[in-house]
Amino acid sequence: LEYEPGHVLALEVQGNPKAEGIDEKTVKDMEKNDGWMRAPYTVTRGKEDSFDILIKVVGFKSRTLATAEPGTPVRFGGKFHV
């Protein structure tokens, strides 16, 4: 993996469109993305075969990612440097 600190990537996790606290914008995004929610996150540490991110819980998507059980499927992609 070629992610370094400061790179921004999209993390995606599947969500439940009927979950308590979900907003309409997130539901529409999920409909367009086959049930996956996506949001940008910044890499804090990158290694040859892994990277770390920190998640500040501010809404439904970040709470879903932060509370995901080990083994939950997560997709990632893109690489932007800000």
Side-chain angles (χ1 to χ4, degrees):
L1 300 173
E2 296 181 11
Y3 288 96
E4 298 177 7
H7 283 148
V8 177
L9 54 83
L11 281 182
E12 299 181 351
V13 64
Q14 287 183 313
N16 177 357
K18 299 186 186 306
E20 183 178 333
I22 195 167
D23 59 89
E24 188 65 29
K25 182 178 181 280
T26 300
V27 172
K28 287 181 181 179
D29 184 45
M30 289 171 58
E31 289 171 355
K32 294 177 186 174
N33 201 26
D34 294 324
W36 292 81
M37 299 182 290
R38 73 176 72 160
Y41 292 93
T42 303
V43 173
T44 57
R45 181 175 32 196
K47 297 182 182 178
E48 187 174 305
D49 60 352
S50 66
F51 57 83
D52 294 343
I53 60 164
L54 294 176
I55 298 174
K56 179 179 181 179
V57 176
V58 295
F60 185 82
K61 287 186 256 187
S62 56
R63 183 173 52 251
T64 301
L65 280 165
T67 60
E69 295 290 329
T72 298
V74 176
R75 302 188 307 193
F76 67 93
K79 182 178 5 176
F80 309 95
H81 195 76
V82 291

